[in-house]
Amino acid sequence: VTVLTDFDHESVFETLLLACADPTREVRAAAARGLFKLSFDRANAWRRISASTDDYRKSHTARAAIESGIAAKSFDRLVHYDMKIAYEAFSLVGLLILAGETTEIFDTIKNGTDEGVKNALLHVLSVVKDDRALKELNKLRTDTRLSETIAEKVKETVEAYQPVAV
């Protein structure tokens, strides 16, 4: 895993990400160090995986991002002042949505404490528009624990899924 980071090329990105979810602590640690040493644009790497027609690849990569903790950390980065960091997080969250791996996203919207992060997650959901997420969004509409602001944003997000009449 350590040798892979010496290549500093997008071709090693997925392998390092998958190694971040390895059951061996040493492998996970080396992979995490390696991922953040890479200098290429990781947002584009997430986007390329998202654009893949291989659903298994998307799902496997998304699960590795979740298991390694990278996905959860990216939620806070959605509201980062550095747009490059925020865009990378946006790209990763978009992959999670397209892969159907939205449990953590909806848990954060329901139970998170940062309203900005909740708004950002809802924004990504309204941009990506995967029909599998719409079912969960509709469930959120009836959740009385949400703040008034977030409940309104959920409503707007659901409306974004509706086709525009011409």
Side-chain angles (χ1 to χ4, degrees):
V1 170
T2 305
V3 171
L4 286 175
T5 61
D6 293 340
F7 290 103
D8 194 18
H9 187 268
E10 191 176 317
S11 62
V12 300
F13 179 71
E14 280 184 72
T15 305
L16 287 174
L17 178 63
L18 295 174
C20 284
D22 191 89
T24 310
R25 187 177 64 81
E26 292 84 6
V27 172
R28 284 192 315 268
R33 282 191 305 272
L35 260 185
F36 294 103
K37 279 184 183 178
L38 300 175
S39 63
F40 61 84
D41 187 355
R42 289 188 303 265
N44 284 330
W46 292 119
R47 277 196 8 237
R48 281 193 220 1
I49 297 166
S50 295
S52 169
T53 57
D54 184 347
D55 291 336
Y56 177 78
R57 177 184 178 205
K58 284 192 278 197
S59 179
H60 196 59
T61 306
R63 280 197 303 272
I66 291 166
E67 290 174 23
S68 65
I70 292 171
K73 290 176 185 168
S74 73
F75 296 168
D76 290 335
R77 293 178 178 173
L78 284 169
V79 295
H80 199 279
Y81 66 90
D82 183 334
M83 293 307 290
K84 184 177 178 184
I85 292 170
Y87 181 63
E88 180 183 343
F90 184 96
S91 299
L92 171 52
V93 173
L95 169 64
L96 296 177
I97 295 166
L98 290 171
E101 299 289 339
T102 57
T103 303
E104 284 197 11
I105 294 170
F106 285 105
D107 284 348
T108 301
I109 294 169
K110 290 177 200 171
N111 305 315
T113 57
D114 188 326
E115 296 278 312
V117 170
K118 292 179 182 187
N119 273 313
L121 288 168
L122 288 165
H123 175 70
V124 180
L125 282 160
S126 71
V127 171
V128 174
K129 294 182 187 157
D130 186 84
D131 288 336
R132 293 171 290 187
L134 185 57
K135 180 180 171 185
E136 290 299 315
L137 282 166
N138 280 318
K139 285 182 190 176
L140 274 181
R141 290 181 84 172
T142 61
D143 193 327
T144 57
R145 296 173 295 160
L146 298 176
S147 71
E148 193 174 309
T149 308
I150 297 301
E152 181 60 31
K153 182 70 174 177
V154 168
K155 181 182 171 199
E156 291 171 12
T157 303
V158 169
E159 289 170 358
Y161 277 70
Q162 308 309 315
V164 178
V166 181

